[in-house]
Amino acid sequence: MSIVQSTIQQTIDFSNPDAVKALNKALLKKYYGIEHWDIPNQYLCPPIPSRVDYIHHLADLLASNNNGEIPTGENVQGLDIGIGANAIYPLLGNACYGWSFVGTDTDETALQNCKKIFAANPQLMDFMSLQLQVEPRFIFKTSLQRKTVSRLQFVILLFMLLKRKRIKPIFVKSIH
């Protein structure tokens, strides 16, 4: 006769936004050097592990167009369309690879929250810029300066936004 000992593991209730938010804060601080991160309650609280996976997949895609080397540093610039209040892709892209970002959104409150996140983490200030997208119908027609657009290596657009706006996704290997 064998006895099987059951163990009880503590876990996070992922259906509870406050629990996911607390986990995100801890992960961002411990693994990515983001000391202060918070979002208003009504905004999307993304799961960090899946979002950092997207950043690593993007890095692999960029490497495939760069002799197998992942491009790093502030000269690698991305555009995050629909950055939201969480700024998660710029935060992770900068922490993992030193990339710089331009973030756009139609929501001024979301952009104000991003500014708070960047200000609370001074190491990010030189790598991030934000633009209000005043005309939501034209997601790729922004107020970005031509020289900024010519330096972009990639664009991130949240798929949920595509579904909500009924826009077909376009995946581009390289902007240039």
Side-chain angles (χ1 to χ4, degrees), residues 124-136:
L124 300 172
M125 293 301 289
D126 293 336
F127 303 101
M128 309 289 171
S129 66
L130 298 167
Q131 297 281 330
L132 180 64
Q133 177 64 37
V134 292
E135 182 52 65

Side-chain angles (χ1 to χ4, degrees), residues 82-124:
I83 191 172
N86 58 60
I88 204 62
Y89 292 116
L91 294 174
L92 295 172
N94 181 264
C96 293
Y97 300 105
W99 297 340
S100 59
F101 282 81
V102 176
T104 67
D105 208 295
T106 59
D107 184 338
E108 206 165 344
T109 303
L111 291 176
Q112 289 302 321
N113 196 70
C114 291
K115 286 180 186 177
K116 286 181 190 175
I117 293 169
F118 300 156
N121 297 280
Q123 76 277 16
L124 300 172

